[in-house]
Amino acid sequence: MAMPEDDIFMPHAARSRPPFGGAQARGKVIDQDGREFSDATLHPQFEGFQFDFRNASANPFDNLTREERLARLEMIAKLLDVAFIVPGTNVRYGIDGLIGLIPVVGDIITTAISLWLVREARLLGAPWHITARMLANVAVDGVIGMVPVAGDAFDVMFRANIRNVRMLRRWLDKQPRRA
């Protein structure tokens, strides 16, 4: 068995990277005039810049109330399904209909956003039967939406995200308020 040329010049051990967070060997950084740079002078604007995701203030959506989360879901659903009006008509459409014009990829993107809405509903405590109906709406919207022209028209008329948020809202209104 012949050895690949890459193994001749650089053995596997030298080619592999250390595990994430491990020490990484690095040579000197030298400019075109032969001057050596230290690490501190390479990226001074990032010195002391860090993310702390354990801190609750780092995530702006972490401490939202149930009503704020529901308002966010309603806003996203309206943006996806009824944000714009066709001039001269009463037909409303959203970015779901626009992104859906991109064959296959657009429908996958809008279906992923719709699935995120279902996930948020589940995090709000929606039971399995509400979640299943929401998933059915997303599936119908995603599958029929992939049909080239008729699917885009169906996306505009079906409005799965508005249906799902309305269904979630009705279920939440029946639940007792927590203190």
Side-chain angles (χ1 to χ4, degrees):
M1 181 171 156
M3 183 183 284
E5 288 186 31
D6 291 338
D7 288 340
I8 295 170
F9 298 117
M10 190 180 313
H12 287 295
R15 243 191 352 232
S16 65
R17 291 186 168 185
F20 183 74
Q24 188 167 352
R26 183 173 171 176
K28 299 176 184 176
V29 178
I30 300 174
D31 71 358
Q32 63 188 14
D33 296 326
R35 291 184 297 240
E36 183 178 335
F37 287 99
S38 67
D39 285 339
T41 59
L42 287 177
H43 304 288
Q45 69 271 25
F46 299 119
E47 190 175 315
F49 181 76
Q50 65 182 357
F51 283 109
D52 184 15
F53 291 108
R54 295 170 302 218
N55 184 0
S57 65
N59 185 356
F61 301 116
D62 191 37
N63 295 325
L64 296 179
T65 65
R66 183 174 92 165
E67 288 302 315
E68 290 171 336
R69 291 175 79 162
L70 190 58
R72 180 180 62 176
L73 293 179
E74 287 175 340
M75 183 219 30
I76 292 171
K78 286 178 183 176
L79 179 65
L80 285 169
D81 290 340
V82 293
F84 312 108
I85 299 175
V86 175
T89 68
N90 203 15
V91 177
R92 299 186 70 90
Y93 66 98
I95 61 170
D96 186 3
L98 294 175
I99 296 173
L101 291 172
I102 303 169
V104 181
V105 175
D107 294 307
I108 290 172
I109 290 169
T110 57
T111 301
I113 296 170
S114 297
L115 287 172
W116 178 80
L117 290 173
V118 175
R119 177 187 170 272
E120 285 291 312
R122 189 71 184 141
L123 291 175
L124 283 170
W128 69 270
H129 61 89
I130 298 291
T131 308
R133 288 178 58 196
M134 293 173 78
L135 286 171
N137 284 339
V138 171
V140 166
D141 188 40
V143 170
I144 296 177
M146 287 198 184
V147 175
V149 176
D152 297 322
F154 180 79
D155 273 346
V156 170
M157 302 313 282
F158 186 62
R159 300 176 181 160
N161 300 303
I162 294 289
R163 288 173 187 251
N164 287 343
V165 171
R166 213 176 273 152
M167 189 183 332
L168 178 65
R169 170 67 85 173
R170 279 194 306 258
W171 178 80
L172 283 172
D173 287 343
K174 292 178 185 175
Q175 303 308 307
R177 298 275 182 213
R178 290 185 226 157

